[in-house]
Structure formats: structure tokens, C-alpha cells
Amino acid sequence: MNASQMRRWRWVAACAVLGMGATAVRADCHLSQMEIPVRIVNHRPVATLTLNGTEVPMLLDSGAYFSVLPLSTATQLGLRLQPAPGRVVVRGYTGKVQDLRMTRVDKVSLQGSEIADVDFLVGGNELGSGIQGVLGRNFLSIADTEYDLAHGIVRLVFPKGDCKATNLADWAGDAPVIVTPLDSNVREYGNEVRVAVRINGVSMHALMDTGAPVTSLRLAAARRAGIQESELQEAGRTGGIGEGWVRAWQGPMASFELGGEKIVDQVVKINEVDYSRNDLLLGLDYFLSHHIYVSRLQKKVYATWNGTPVFAGRNGQAQASSDGVGSAAPAALPADDAEALARRAEAAAARGEFAKALADLNRACELAPQSSANLLARARVQLALRDTAQARQDLDRALNLQPDLHEARAARAALQVSAGERDGALADLAALDRSLPPSDQLRERVGGLYARLSLLPEALRQWELWMPAHRTDAHLAAVFNERCWLRTRLNREARLALEDCKAAVDKDGGEGHYRDSLGWAYLRLDDARSAVDAFDAALKLKPIALAHYGRALAEQRLGRADAARHDLATARQLDAHVDERVQRAGLPVVAQTP
């Protein structure tokens, strides 16, 4: 948005909230509010906007300086694209957004407020889970912002009167309140919610980022905090809205301090990022465990701990906290408010508290049995609990109520593929193919499910529809690899398989499995020497049983019997069932060795 559009948003939002009344914090300070319902979907806070009459679920991201639509969403909405201004650069935590463009939406509506001619940036990666855009700080910073994500609520707050010296944590009662100043240079950096913290006693800067599923520390900052490399455990790689991937670890964090709050003996995610000016991303896990108010007027952050675990540990669940400030328990919800219960349940599920989440969703589904969204939410919790039978029942009910609930249909198709229910899976996949827009992000998943059923033409069609709107998407390398692997398994179109594998490696040379696939593609072409080179490169990145097995096969073909025996033994040591996996995949097998 430009400055005039921001002013109009303020005016429209203020008019909306004035109709709801205002809260008096003091006699001379009143807070008018716009309340935005937020659902936590797969560790992402999602609010629904209406763009040109179409509902669009958007990630509510305090870490993004401007609102963004991926190219697929802009294409589905028929929006006209134009080049982004040359000075505009969007850089996520793992890289810059390539081929950035802009578009203008004629009408944007949220909670009864509407504004015309709103600009969005266009580009970046898909976020999955049905999310079709990012609502950034150009919207969230038009007012003070209150984050009550444990209840699935964000409020835009407009202070009126003399509020400069007021304690704006009006929900806290007698509970201790964490208070800390915003970075004095926030305007220079696009209204970041940036605060000072201490990690293991070392002063650092943290960006409060609802778009980050978990709190993460830069590797350089971890070193400054005294975390030793020997203490780190590999945690794969991580990505964001920008291009590329970075390595990630888990490491011990002896203490975390913010505004009088001290949390000890935690495990924190650590990312290999060098260019960010923030040492720490204070992510959704922190927001879910605190009620937070960001005061633009006072340039302060107020927060109370709600008594739940704070940081996500090795298993993805929030850890217990030794928090010195005490807690303010979240207010009780009305027992008959189905939507509020469902939002609280999704927040609990994001913390790994699945029993609490299921109890709230059971009640929500009783109160609103026609809510397909609540049934889908309960199915996700049941899948997390590995109760596939109950999840399947809820997905069936949700689709009976709303046949175009594509996320539910894709989830049911995946369950049917896993259960060997081929006919049912094919029926759901065909329904998705008929109803999804050509560029829809779900086509990537549909193609993968067809691949699991070894249906080459059907899988290729889905990926070919998906690719044009995702040429700069970080997932493109994975799709090239999946297409290569399917062709290689089926021993079809071997030259095209090789091209796909090379494209995957070119896009992401740091993923060992892509080089493993490349080795098998060379084996299909009977090029054992090139296969050995590809497997060597894969195994330099990570131990992969299939890569050792494939290298053993290539070495046999080159007459290197001892090397082949050693690789085969290593493959079987890494995976006792590697022989069966190779046979099930339809790949060539090694000859019996003495």
C-alpha cells in the first residue's frame, strides 16, 4: 500500500471499530478495536480476506514488511501484473524473492471494512495448507497490534485520547507484565517489531515474527552465545518465502531474557543464515504462549505469559518453561462458541497439546455439526495422533458438507493411497483435477499422489499445470526430482528423467537425495561411471542407503567387486530393508556376491 492507501485503511478500520464501541483503559484513554479471527493451520496463523469477491486465506505475518500474493493466486484471480519498482527487494530468511512483481486488487474486504485499489507484491514460495498470500506489516502497522493467538485473535487497536503513559496490557489484571521498548530505528526498517533480548547472557536483537513457525537463532549468534558446534544436532534444512534453503540444527539455550522475563534450559532451532540483521526470530511458538500488545504510539511491547510451554523443542512441541515473571491465564471462553473453541484448539495443536485440542474440537463439532472447517481441523489433530480411522470419518463428513473443500479431499486421497484403496484415491484425485484451477498449489501434491500410484501420464499432467506459475518456487527442485524418480522407477523416458534430475540438482545442489536420483537415472542409461560420480556427491552430503546400494550396482558393472561389497554392506547397515525397497520400486538389483 502507498501512504494514501494506508490512511484510507486507518479511516475505514476506525469507522468499523467505532461501531463496536471502545474500551476505556483510563478515563482519558480509550481503545477502539478491530478484531480479526485467526486460525492456526500447520503452525501458521491464517486470516481470511476477500479479494475482488473471492475469499483468500492469508498468512498473518508480522515478519513481512509488505503484503504478498504468490503468482498462482494472482493468476487464479485474473490480476494484472506489472514490474515491481526497481528499489523494492523482498528478502526472506533464506534468500531473496526472485522475479518480483506487483498487482492491484480492485476491492479488498476484511471484517466488514472495504478499500479499493490495494497494491500487493507478487512472488515468492507457496506456503501450503491452503494459504494463498501473506498479510504483512504494511497492514498490521496501521495501528497498535494485539496478538492473542492462544485464542486465535489478532486486534488492530486505535488508541484515542491521552494514552502515552497508559499500561496497555489491559487484560493482565494483577499478573506481572513484560514491558520492553521497540528498537528505536523501527521506521528505518519498515516498522519491524524488533526488540532487545539476551541469549545466555549475551545481548542480541530479535524480530517478533508470527510467520516463523518456531523461534530460531542465527548460527553466528549461537556462536556468540557460547553454543558449541559439538552441542548441535542436525535438523535438516529450512526455507521461507525467498529462494533457497539453509541448514538447520537444534541446540541448547541455557537462558532467554526479554523485558524481565527469563526462561531457562531450552532447546532452540539454529539456522545457517549470514545476512539477516536480526539475531533471533521470535516465532509463533512464543506468540502462542504469550498475550502480546505492540504499541506504535509508545514504541513498546507489552506481554504476559499465559502459563503454557514456550519454545518448540526437538519433537516440534513446546517445551516447559522456568519463567520468572509468573503467568496470566487466558480468559475463559464461552462454552457455546464453536468458532472460538475451534480457534483455541488449533492453537493448542500447534503447541503439541493434542488432547486439549481434541477436547475443544469435539465440543465445537457438537455445537456446529455443519462446520466443515472444524471437521477438517479435527481430522488434522487425529492424523497427528495417528488415528487415521477417525480422521477419515471426519474428512468424509466434511466433504459431504462441502465437496469443494480441496484440502480435505487431498488429505483423504493421501489416506486412501496409503491404505491401498486405489479406486477411492483415483476418484478423489480425478475430482481434484476437475475442480482445481490450473495453477493451484495443490496440484503439486496431486501429482505426487499419482506418482505413488505409479501413474506417469497423470502425474506429469499435474506437474505441467503447476509449473508455469511456480518457476521461481523453492519447491520446483523437489518436483523436478519427483518427476525424475518416477520416470526412473518405471524405466520410462530415461533421457527425460536424466534432464529432470539435472534440473533438480541445478536448482538445489545441497540436497543429497536429488544427486541420489541422478545416480539411478544414469544407471538406467547404463552409464555406470557417471552414476558413481553422482552417488559420490550424494554421499558427501548425507548417508543415504539407496545411494550406497546404487553405487554398489554401478561398481559391479565397472568390475569393482570389493567396493561393491562394501557399499552393499553399508546400505544394509543403514537400512535393513533396502533390498526390499529397491525391488518394490522396480529398480535394478545388485548381483549376488560371494
Side-chain angles (χ1 to χ4, degrees), residues 56-90:
V56 177
M58 300 187 73
L59 171 67
L60 196 147
D61 188 355
S62 65
Y65 89 93
F66 206 88
S67 300
V68 183
L69 299 176
L71 180 58
S72 60
T73 300
T75 301
Q76 291 171 36
L77 295 174
L79 299 174
R80 182 180 176 183
L81 302 179
Q82 57 188 5
R87 67 185 184 279
V88 175
V89 175
V90 174

PDB file of all heavy atoms in Angstrom, residues 56-90:
ATOM      1  N   VAL A  56      -9.760 -15.375   0.366  1.00  0.00           N
ATOM      2  CA  VAL A  56      -8.360 -15.766   0.205  1.00  0.00           C
ATOM      3  C   VAL A  56      -7.737 -15.926   1.592  1.00  0.00           C
ATOM      4  O   VAL A  56      -7.561 -14.938   2.314  1.00  0.00           O
ATOM      5  CB  VAL A  56      -7.577 -14.715  -0.609  1.00  0.00           C
ATOM      6  CG1 VAL A  56      -6.108 -15.098  -0.700  1.00  0.00           C
ATOM      7  CG2 VAL A  56      -8.179 -14.563  -2.005  1.00  0.00           C
ATOM      8  N   PRO A  57      -7.398 -17.151   2.012  1.00  0.00           N
ATOM      9  CA  PRO A  57      -6.692 -17.345   3.287  1.00  0.00           C
ATOM     10  C   PRO A  57      -5.268 -16.803   3.183  1.00  0.00           C
ATOM     11  O   PRO A  57      -4.535 -17.136   2.246  1.00  0.00           O
ATOM     12  CB  PRO A  57      -6.693 -18.870   3.473  1.00  0.00           C
ATOM     13  CG  PRO A  57      -7.685 -19.393   2.485  1.00  0.00           C
ATOM     14  CD  PRO A  57      -7.687 -18.433   1.353  1.00  0.00           C
ATOM     15  N   MET A  58      -4.875 -15.973   4.153  1.00  0.00           N
ATOM     16  CA  MET A  58      -3.569 -15.338   4.094  1.00  0.00           C
ATOM     17  C   MET A  58      -2.826 -15.503   5.408  1.00  0.00           C
ATOM     18  O   MET A  58      -3.416 -15.395   6.482  1.00  0.00           O
ATOM     19  CB  MET A  58      -3.709 -13.846   3.749  1.00  0.00           C
ATOM     20  CG  MET A  58      -4.375 -13.609   2.402  1.00  0.00           C
ATOM     21  SD  MET A  58      -4.351 -11.869   1.903  1.00  0.00           S
ATOM     22  CE  MET A  58      -2.616 -11.664   1.480  1.00  0.00           C
ATOM     23  N   LEU A  59      -1.532 -15.773   5.300  1.00  0.00           N
ATOM     24  CA  LEU A  59      -0.668 -15.841   6.472  1.00  0.00           C
ATOM     25  C   LEU A  59      -0.559 -14.457   7.090  1.00  0.00           C
ATOM     26  O   LEU A  59      -0.201 -13.486   6.411  1.00  0.00           O
ATOM     27  CB  LEU A  59       0.719 -16.333   6.063  1.00  0.00           C
ATOM     28  CG  LEU A  59       1.817 -16.267   7.127  1.00  0.00           C
ATOM     29  CD1 LEU A  59       1.531 -17.243   8.255  1.00  0.00           C
ATOM     30  CD2 LEU A  59       3.177 -16.539   6.510  1.00  0.00           C
ATOM     31  N   LEU A  60      -0.870 -14.347   8.365  1.00  0.00           N
ATOM     32  CA  LEU A  60      -0.749 -13.086   9.085  1.00  0.00           C
ATOM     33  C   LEU A  60       0.671 -13.025   9.635  1.00  0.00           C
ATOM     34  O   LEU A  60       1.003 -13.692  10.600  1.00  0.00           O
ATOM     35  CB  LEU A  60      -1.799 -13.016  10.190  1.00  0.00           C
ATOM     36  CG  LEU A  60      -2.078 -11.649  10.783  1.00  0.00           C
ATOM     37  CD1 LEU A  60      -3.545 -11.537  11.183  1.00  0.00           C
ATOM     38  CD2 LEU A  60      -1.195 -11.396  11.974  1.00  0.00           C
ATOM     39  N   ASP A  61       1.517 -12.198   8.982  1.00  0.00           N
ATOM     40  CA  ASP A  61       2.962 -12.302   9.155  1.00  0.00           C
ATOM     41  C   ASP A  61       3.560 -10.979   9.617  1.00  0.00           C
ATOM     42  O   ASP A  61       3.799 -10.081   8.808  1.00  0.00           O
ATOM     43  CB  ASP A  61       3.580 -12.738   7.829  1.00  0.00           C
ATOM     44  CG  ASP A  61       5.058 -13.067   7.942  1.00  0.00           C
ATOM     45  OD1 ASP A  61       5.627 -12.869   9.027  1.00  0.00           O
ATOM     46  OD2 ASP A  61       5.636 -13.527   6.934  1.00  0.00           O
ATOM     47  N   SER A  62       3.852 -10.882  10.903  1.00  0.00           N
ATOM     48  CA  SER A  62       4.476  -9.668  11.433  1.00  0.00           C
ATOM     49  C   SER A  62       5.931  -9.532  10.999  1.00  0.00           C
ATOM     50  O   SER A  62       6.549  -8.483  11.192  1.00  0.00           O
ATOM     51  CB  SER A  62       4.402  -9.653  12.966  1.00  0.00           C
ATOM     52  OG  SER A  62       5.177 -10.708  13.520  1.00  0.00           O
ATOM     53  N   GLY A  63       6.487 -10.579  10.397  1.00  0.00           N
ATOM     54  CA  GLY A  63       7.856 -10.513   9.914  1.00  0.00           C
ATOM     55  C   GLY A  63       7.977 -10.011   8.494  1.00  0.00           C
ATOM     56  O   GLY A  63       9.081  -9.723   8.031  1.00  0.00           O
ATOM     57  N   ALA A  64       6.861  -9.888   7.760  1.00  0.00           N
ATOM     58  CA  ALA A  64       6.883  -9.447   6.362  1.00  0.00           C
ATOM     59  C   ALA A  64       6.568  -7.957   6.303  1.00  0.00           C
ATOM     60  O   ALA A  64       5.547  -7.513   6.838  1.00  0.00           O
ATOM     61  CB  ALA A  64       5.858 -10.231   5.547  1.00  0.00           C
ATOM     62  N   TYR A  65       7.408  -7.183   5.613  1.00  0.00           N
ATOM     63  CA  TYR A  65       7.194  -5.741   5.632  1.00  0.00           C
ATOM     64  C   TYR A  65       6.075  -5.324   4.694  1.00  0.00           C
ATOM     65  O   TYR A  65       5.521  -4.229   4.828  1.00  0.00           O
ATOM     66  CB  TYR A  65       8.486  -4.998   5.294  1.00  0.00           C
ATOM     67  CG  TYR A  65       8.733  -4.726   3.834  1.00  0.00           C
ATOM     68  CD1 TYR A  65       8.335  -3.519   3.255  1.00  0.00           C
ATOM     69  CD2 TYR A  65       9.390  -5.653   3.026  1.00  0.00           C
ATOM     70  CE1 TYR A  65       8.571  -3.261   1.916  1.00  0.00           C
ATOM     71  CE2 TYR A  65       9.630  -5.398   1.695  1.00  0.00           C
ATOM     72  CZ  TYR A  65       9.223  -4.195   1.141  1.00  0.00           C
ATOM     73  OH  TYR A  65       9.456  -3.946  -0.186  1.00  0.00           O
ATOM     74  N   PHE A  66       5.689  -6.163   3.707  1.00  0.00           N
ATOM     75  CA  PHE A  66       4.630  -5.801   2.761  1.00  0.00           C
ATOM     76  C   PHE A  66       3.814  -7.047   2.465  1.00  0.00           C
ATOM     77  O   PHE A  66       4.302  -8.176   2.568  1.00  0.00           O
ATOM     78  CB  PHE A  66       5.253  -5.256   1.464  1.00  0.00           C
ATOM     79  CG  PHE A  66       4.355  -4.313   0.704  1.00  0.00           C
ATOM     80  CD1 PHE A  66       4.363  -2.957   0.988  1.00  0.00           C
ATOM     81  CD2 PHE A  66       3.495  -4.777  -0.277  1.00  0.00           C
ATOM     82  CE1 PHE A  66       3.539  -2.079   0.294  1.00  0.00           C
ATOM     83  CE2 PHE A  66       2.669  -3.913  -0.979  1.00  0.00           C
ATOM     84  CZ  PHE A  66       2.690  -2.556  -0.692  1.00  0.00           C
ATOM     85  N   SER A  67       2.572  -6.851   2.078  1.00  0.00           N
ATOM     86  CA  SER A  67       1.685  -7.973   1.771  1.00  0.00           C
ATOM     87  C   SER A  67       2.010  -8.535   0.390  1.00  0.00           C
ATOM     88  O   SER A  67       2.297  -7.788  -0.550  1.00  0.00           O
ATOM     89  CB  SER A  67       0.231  -7.529   1.844  1.00  0.00           C
ATOM     90  OG  SER A  67      -0.072  -7.053   3.141  1.00  0.00           O
ATOM     91  N   VAL A  68       1.933  -9.865   0.278  1.00  0.00           N
ATOM     92  CA  VAL A  68       2.408 -10.563  -0.918  1.00  0.00           C
ATOM     93  C   VAL A  68       1.386 -11.606  -1.343  1.00  0.00           C
ATOM     94  O   VAL A  68       0.801 -12.306  -0.502  1.00  0.00           O
ATOM     95  CB  VAL A  68       3.761 -11.259  -0.648  1.00  0.00           C
ATOM     96  CG1 VAL A  68       4.289 -11.922  -1.911  1.00  0.00           C
ATOM     97  CG2 VAL A  68       4.785 -10.270  -0.105  1.00  0.00           C
ATOM     98  N   LEU A  69       1.199 -11.740  -2.654  1.00  0.00           N
ATOM     99  CA  LEU A  69       0.447 -12.851  -3.232  1.00  0.00           C
ATOM    100  C   LEU A  69       1.403 -13.691  -4.066  1.00  0.00           C
ATOM    101  O   LEU A  69       2.210 -13.138  -4.818  1.00  0.00           O
ATOM    102  CB  LEU A  69      -0.679 -12.344  -4.140  1.00  0.00           C
ATOM    103  CG  LEU A  69      -1.759 -11.473  -3.505  1.00  0.00           C
ATOM    104  CD1 LEU A  69      -2.730 -10.982  -4.575  1.00  0.00           C
ATOM    105  CD2 LEU A  69      -2.513 -12.233  -2.424  1.00  0.00           C
ATOM    106  N   PRO A  70       1.365 -15.013  -3.940  1.00  0.00           N
ATOM    107  CA  PRO A  70       2.153 -15.825  -4.867  1.00  0.00           C
ATOM    108  C   PRO A  70       1.571 -15.713  -6.276  1.00  0.00           C
ATOM    109  O   PRO A  70       0.403 -15.358  -6.461  1.00  0.00           O
ATOM    110  CB  PRO A  70       2.020 -17.243  -4.310  1.00  0.00           C
ATOM    111  CG  PRO A  70       0.782 -17.228  -3.494  1.00  0.00           C
ATOM    112  CD  PRO A  70       0.610 -15.841  -2.972  1.00  0.00           C
ATOM    113  N   LEU A  71       2.385 -16.009  -7.266  1.00  0.00           N
ATOM    114  CA  LEU A  71       1.941 -15.890  -8.653  1.00  0.00           C
ATOM    115  C   LEU A  71       0.715 -16.743  -8.929  1.00  0.00           C
ATOM    116  O   LEU A  71      -0.181 -16.337  -9.678  1.00  0.00           O
ATOM    117  CB  LEU A  71       3.087 -16.283  -9.592  1.00  0.00           C
ATOM    118  CG  LEU A  71       2.790 -16.226 -11.087  1.00  0.00           C
ATOM    119  CD1 LEU A  71       2.347 -14.827 -11.510  1.00  0.00           C
ATOM    120  CD2 LEU A  71       4.014 -16.681 -11.895  1.00  0.00           C
ATOM    121  N   SER A  72       0.633 -17.916  -8.303  1.00  0.00           N
ATOM    122  CA  SER A  72      -0.519 -18.794  -8.556  1.00  0.00           C
ATOM    123  C   SER A  72      -1.825 -18.135  -8.125  1.00  0.00           C
ATOM    124  O   SER A  72      -2.842 -18.233  -8.823  1.00  0.00           O
ATOM    125  CB  SER A  72      -0.333 -20.128  -7.835  1.00  0.00           C
ATOM    126  OG  SER A  72      -0.209 -19.933  -6.440  1.00  0.00           O
ATOM    127  N   THR A  73      -1.821 -17.446  -6.981  1.00  0.00           N
ATOM    128  CA  THR A  73      -3.039 -16.763  -6.524  1.00  0.00           C
ATOM    129  C   THR A  73      -3.390 -15.610  -7.452  1.00  0.00           C
ATOM    130  O   THR A  73      -4.561 -15.425  -7.827  1.00  0.00           O
ATOM    131  CB  THR A  73      -2.855 -16.243  -5.088  1.00  0.00           C
ATOM    132  OG1 THR A  73      -2.583 -17.342  -4.226  1.00  0.00           O
ATOM    133  CG2 THR A  73      -4.095 -15.527  -4.595  1.00  0.00           C
ATOM    134  N   ALA A  74      -2.387 -14.805  -7.823  1.00  0.00           N
ATOM    135  CA  ALA A  74      -2.646 -13.698  -8.742  1.00  0.00           C
ATOM    136  C   ALA A  74      -3.207 -14.218 -10.061  1.00  0.00           C
ATOM    137  O   ALA A  74      -4.120 -13.608 -10.648  1.00  0.00           O
ATOM    138  CB  ALA A  74      -1.358 -12.916  -8.981  1.00  0.00           C
ATOM    139  N   THR A  75      -2.696 -15.358 -10.522  1.00  0.00           N
ATOM    140  CA  THR A  75      -3.185 -15.946 -11.770  1.00  0.00           C
ATOM    141  C   THR A  75      -4.624 -16.409 -11.620  1.00  0.00           C
ATOM    142  O   THR A  75      -5.473 -16.151 -12.492  1.00  0.00           O
ATOM    143  CB  THR A  75      -2.285 -17.130 -12.171  1.00  0.00           C
ATOM    144  OG1 THR A  75      -0.940 -16.666 -12.328  1.00  0.00           O
ATOM    145  CG2 THR A  75      -2.758 -17.767 -13.465  1.00  0.00           C
ATOM    146  N   GLN A  76      -4.929 -17.089 -10.519  1.00  0.00           N
ATOM    147  CA  GLN A  76      -6.303 -17.568 -10.301  1.00  0.00           C
ATOM    148  C   GLN A  76      -7.300 -16.432 -10.218  1.00  0.00           C
ATOM    149  O   GLN A  76      -8.447 -16.557 -10.663  1.00  0.00           O
ATOM    150  CB  GLN A  76      -6.351 -18.405  -9.024  1.00  0.00           C
ATOM    151  CG  GLN A  76      -5.631 -19.737  -9.125  1.00  0.00           C
ATOM    152  CD  GLN A  76      -5.510 -20.425  -7.778  1.00  0.00           C
ATOM    153  OE1 GLN A  76      -6.400 -20.341  -6.950  1.00  0.00           O
ATOM    154  NE2 GLN A  76      -4.398 -21.099  -7.555  1.00  0.00           N
ATOM    155  N   LEU A  77      -6.889 -15.301  -9.643  1.00  0.00           N
ATOM    156  CA  LEU A  77      -7.781 -14.150  -9.502  1.00  0.00           C
ATOM    157  C   LEU A  77      -7.824 -13.292 -10.756  1.00  0.00           C
ATOM    158  O   LEU A  77      -8.572 -12.302 -10.804  1.00  0.00           O
ATOM    159  CB  LEU A  77      -7.351 -13.293  -8.309  1.00  0.00           C
ATOM    160  CG  LEU A  77      -7.466 -13.956  -6.925  1.00  0.00           C
ATOM    161  CD1 LEU A  77      -6.880 -13.049  -5.855  1.00  0.00           C
ATOM    162  CD2 LEU A  77      -8.921 -14.291  -6.601  1.00  0.00           C
ATOM    163  N   GLY A  78      -7.038 -13.631 -11.767  1.00  0.00           N
ATOM    164  CA  GLY A  78      -7.025 -12.865 -13.006  1.00  0.00           C
ATOM    165  C   GLY A  78      -6.477 -11.460 -12.843  1.00  0.00           C
ATOM    166  O   GLY A  78      -6.899 -10.537 -13.549  1.00  0.00           O
ATOM    167  N   LEU A  79      -5.506 -11.301 -11.955  1.00  0.00           N
ATOM    168  CA  LEU A  79      -4.969  -9.977 -11.677  1.00  0.00           C
ATOM    169  C   LEU A  79      -3.904  -9.598 -12.706  1.00  0.00           C
ATOM    170  O   LEU A  79      -3.113 -10.436 -13.147  1.00  0.00           O
ATOM    171  CB  LEU A  79      -4.361  -9.936 -10.274  1.00  0.00           C
ATOM    172  CG  LEU A  79      -5.338 -10.235  -9.122  1.00  0.00           C
ATOM    173  CD1 LEU A  79      -4.587 -10.306  -7.803  1.00  0.00           C
ATOM    174  CD2 LEU A  79      -6.440  -9.175  -9.062  1.00  0.00           C
ATOM    175  N   ARG A  80      -3.879  -8.328 -13.027  1.00  0.00           N
ATOM    176  CA  ARG A  80      -2.903  -7.824 -13.986  1.00  0.00           C
ATOM    177  C   ARG A  80      -1.581  -7.566 -13.270  1.00  0.00           C
ATOM    178  O   ARG A  80      -1.550  -6.920 -12.213  1.00  0.00           O
ATOM    179  CB  ARG A  80      -3.420  -6.529 -14.619  1.00  0.00           C
ATOM    180  CG  ARG A  80      -2.499  -5.943 -15.671  1.00  0.00           C
ATOM    181  CD  ARG A  80      -3.098  -4.672 -16.234  1.00  0.00           C
ATOM    182  NE  ARG A  80      -2.186  -4.031 -17.183  1.00  0.00           N
ATOM    183  CZ  ARG A  80      -2.427  -2.877 -17.779  1.00  0.00           C
ATOM    184  NH1 ARG A  80      -3.556  -2.224 -17.509  1.00  0.00           N
ATOM    185  NH2 ARG A  80      -1.559  -2.362 -18.617  1.00  0.00           N
ATOM    186  N   LEU A  81      -0.487  -8.062 -13.846  1.00  0.00           N
ATOM    187  CA  LEU A  81       0.818  -7.934 -13.225  1.00  0.00           C
ATOM    188  C   LEU A  81       1.625  -6.832 -13.890  1.00  0.00           C
ATOM    189  O   LEU A  81       1.496  -6.584 -15.090  1.00  0.00           O
ATOM    190  CB  LEU A  81       1.585  -9.251 -13.320  1.00  0.00           C
ATOM    191  CG  LEU A  81       0.917 -10.482 -12.704  1.00  0.00           C
ATOM    192  CD1 LEU A  81       1.792 -11.705 -12.893  1.00  0.00           C
ATOM    193  CD2 LEU A  81       0.618 -10.263 -11.235  1.00  0.00           C
ATOM    194  N   GLN A  82       2.469  -6.197 -13.095  1.00  0.00           N
ATOM    195  CA  GLN A  82       3.399  -5.203 -13.613  1.00  0.00           C
ATOM    196  C   GLN A  82       4.711  -5.345 -12.857  1.00  0.00           C
ATOM    197  O   GLN A  82       4.753  -5.920 -11.761  1.00  0.00           O
ATOM    198  CB  GLN A  82       2.838  -3.799 -13.442  1.00  0.00           C
ATOM    199  CG  GLN A  82       2.489  -3.430 -12.011  1.00  0.00           C
ATOM    200  CD  GLN A  82       1.754  -2.105 -11.919  1.00  0.00           C
ATOM    201  OE1 GLN A  82       1.412  -1.500 -12.923  1.00  0.00           O
ATOM    202  NE2 GLN A  82       1.507  -1.660 -10.702  1.00  0.00           N
ATOM    203  N   PRO A  83       5.820  -4.840 -13.406  1.00  0.00           N
ATOM    204  CA  PRO A  83       7.099  -4.959 -12.699  1.00  0.00           C
ATOM    205  C   PRO A  83       7.057  -4.237 -11.360  1.00  0.00           C
ATOM    206  O   PRO A  83       6.430  -3.182 -11.227  1.00  0.00           O
ATOM    207  CB  PRO A  83       8.095  -4.304 -13.655  1.00  0.00           C
ATOM    208  CG  PRO A  83       7.435  -4.333 -14.991  1.00  0.00           C
ATOM    209  CD  PRO A  83       5.961  -4.211 -14.727  1.00  0.00           C
ATOM    210  N   ALA A  84       7.731  -4.806 -10.379  1.00  0.00           N
ATOM    211  CA  ALA A  84       7.867  -4.113  -9.098  1.00  0.00           C
ATOM    212  C   ALA A  84       8.840  -2.958  -9.259  1.00  0.00           C
ATOM    213  O   ALA A  84       9.739  -3.004 -10.107  1.00  0.00           O
ATOM    214  CB  ALA A  84       8.371  -5.080  -8.029  1.00  0.00           C
ATOM    215  N   PRO A  85       8.660  -1.888  -8.490  1.00  0.00           N
ATOM    216  CA  PRO A  85       9.636  -0.797  -8.551  1.00  0.00           C
ATOM    217  C   PRO A  85      11.044  -1.317  -8.341  1.00  0.00           C
ATOM    218  O   PRO A  85      11.280  -2.213  -7.530  1.00  0.00           O
ATOM    219  CB  PRO A  85       9.197   0.128  -7.401  1.00  0.00           C
ATOM    220  CG  PRO A  85       7.745  -0.168  -7.221  1.00  0.00           C
ATOM    221  CD  PRO A  85       7.586  -1.636  -7.532  1.00  0.00           C
ATOM    222  N   GLY A  86      12.005  -0.750  -9.073  1.00  0.00           N
ATOM    223  CA  GLY A  86      13.369  -1.251  -9.048  1.00  0.00           C
ATOM    224  C   GLY A  86      13.995  -1.250  -7.675  1.00  0.00           C
ATOM    225  O   GLY A  86      14.872  -2.062  -7.382  1.00  0.00           O
ATOM    226  N   ARG A  87      13.558  -0.335  -6.819  1.00  0.00           N
ATOM    227  CA  ARG A  87      14.169  -0.241  -5.488  1.00  0.00           C
ATOM    228  C   ARG A  87      13.597  -1.266  -4.511  1.00  0.00           C
ATOM    229  O   ARG A  87      14.113  -1.419  -3.396  1.00  0.00           O
ATOM    230  CB  ARG A  87      13.953   1.154  -4.913  1.00  0.00           C
ATOM    231  CG  ARG A  87      12.501   1.468  -4.593  1.00  0.00           C
ATOM    232  CD  ARG A  87      12.291   2.892  -4.140  1.00  0.00           C
ATOM    233  NE  ARG A  87      10.913   3.143  -3.743  1.00  0.00           N
ATOM    234  CZ  ARG A  87       9.933   3.405  -4.592  1.00  0.00           C
ATOM    235  NH1 ARG A  87      10.187   3.430  -5.902  1.00  0.00           N
ATOM    236  NH2 ARG A  87       8.701   3.623  -4.159  1.00  0.00           N
ATOM    237  N   VAL A  88      12.514  -1.941  -4.893  1.00  0.00           N
ATOM    238  CA  VAL A  88      11.848  -2.861  -3.976  1.00  0.00           C
ATOM    239  C   VAL A  88      12.505  -4.243  -4.050  1.00  0.00           C
ATOM    240  O   VAL A  88      12.586  -4.853  -5.117  1.00  0.00           O
ATOM    241  CB  VAL A  88      10.342  -2.987  -4.303  1.00  0.00           C
ATOM    242  CG1 VAL A  88       9.687  -4.037  -3.409  1.00  0.00           C
ATOM    243  CG2 VAL A  88       9.658  -1.639  -4.119  1.00  0.00           C
ATOM    244  N   VAL A  89      12.977  -4.708  -2.914  1.00  0.00           N
ATOM    245  CA  VAL A  89      13.564  -6.042  -2.801  1.00  0.00           C
ATOM    246  C   VAL A  89      12.920  -6.732  -1.607  1.00  0.00           C
ATOM    247  O   VAL A  89      12.781  -6.130  -0.534  1.00  0.00           O
ATOM    248  CB  VAL A  89      15.096  -5.981  -2.597  1.00  0.00           C
ATOM    249  CG1 VAL A  89      15.657  -7.383  -2.365  1.00  0.00           C
ATOM    250  CG2 VAL A  89      15.764  -5.327  -3.794  1.00  0.00           C
ATOM    251  N   VAL A  90      12.470  -7.951  -1.795  1.00  0.00           N
ATOM    252  CA  VAL A  90      11.914  -8.739  -0.695  1.00  0.00           C
ATOM    253  C   VAL A  90      12.867  -9.892  -0.430  1.00  0.00           C
ATOM    254  O   VAL A  90      13.153 -10.702  -1.309  1.00  0.00           O
ATOM    255  CB  VAL A  90      10.503  -9.276  -1.026  1.00  0.00           C
ATOM    256  CG1 VAL A  90      10.022 -10.204   0.081  1.00  0.00           C
ATOM    257  CG2 VAL A  90       9.530  -8.124  -1.207  1.00  0.00           C
TER     258      VAL A  90
END
